[in-house]
Amino acid sequence: MEASTEFSLRPLMDGFGVEMRDVDLATCGPDVHRAVVETFDRHGVMVIRDQRLSPHDQMRFTNAFGTPEENPRREYTLPDIPEIYVISNKIVDGRKIGDHQAGQGWHTDSSFLAEPVKCTMLYAMEVPDEGSDTLLADLCAAWNALPPERQAELDGLQVQHSWRALMELKKVYLAPDDNTIPDVVHPMVRAHPADGRKALWVSTGTTRGIVGMPNPQGLDLLDELVAFATQDRFVYRHKWHVGDVLIWDNRCTLHTGTPFDLSKYKRHVHRTWVRGDRPN
Ligand SMILES: [Fe+2]
């Protein structure tokens, strides 16, 4: 496709992630957006530098990946665009305008849903001089690094994910009969729909255990596998610059935010999500 020649690509790590330059997401046409999505599907993580996106520009680009997902926490979405969630520690007119510290701890977004979000996009307008790095772990590389006999033991296992478990972790009180989002079961090993590559799809925060395995054995195994998959050799550390667009594929990566000095620095980011399918 001719459009794919309009931008330049550089790997972020050997076999994981890609940085794209020489593209202006605000002004390019749908053919370029499509070529970006095709590239993204093969790399797990994509960084696009030096962008200037209005909220509507970001929505147009997000739409190229699929159907944008609204965020249930309306207090921090843009008033006229509920699909854009504001991550920010800025105070405007005496009011918090965003979630000041989203997403700490290794996880994959909304894994407690029957159909977790496919990908997550962050667009940075203000970033701290230090801290707030986003870490991304390559779950395909982690799977490929396991010996075949270990892969055979794990393939086919099912993990119980729970929104209630996450709320308990965040110390959010729920009534005992609150079943707003029922627990779901997802495969531990997930095949990517673009090319069938397998990912060791483990997580923390939402997991209750492994189906058919008593605890603490099940939770211990999940902790062991997350620790394995998040070794430095599988992790890309994104250091933020103003104008960065970072997109990760929740079907084959884990991510975590890292802290920064909230009293010293401002961070202001717009996040969008794209609806996903049932993992298989
Ligand atoms: Fe997240």
Side-chain angles (χ1 to χ4, degrees), residues 157-176:
L157 292 182
Q158 303 276 327
V159 179
Q160 183 183 355
H161 293 261
S162 167
W163 173 74
R164 283 194 72 95
L166 184 62
M167 292 302 104
E168 288 164 16
L169 192 69
K170 292 184 169 185
K171 301 196 172 8
V172 175
Y173 173 78
L174 295 176

Side-chain angles (χ1 to χ4, degrees), residues 142-163:
W143 172 255
N144 291 333
L146 291 169
E149 57 275 16
R150 187 70 166 140
Q151 291 181 340
E153 287 167 9
L154 300 177
D155 209 351
L157 292 182
Q158 303 276 327
V159 179
Q160 183 183 355
H161 293 261
S162 167
W163 173 74

Side-chain angles (χ1 to χ4, degrees), residues 54-76:
S54 70
H56 287 286
D57 293 333
Q58 185 169 351
M59 287 310 302
R60 193 169 68 89
F61 182 48
T62 303
N63 266 290
F65 291 81
T67 305
E69 184 94 271
E70 291 188 16
N71 197 293
R73 292 189 64 186
R74 288 297 177 89
E75 70 266 39
Y76 296 138

Side-chain angles (χ1 to χ4, degrees), residues 90-97:
K90 294 176 76 169
I91 306 288
V92 176
D93 297 332
R95 189 180 71 83
K96 280 182 72 178
I97 59 166

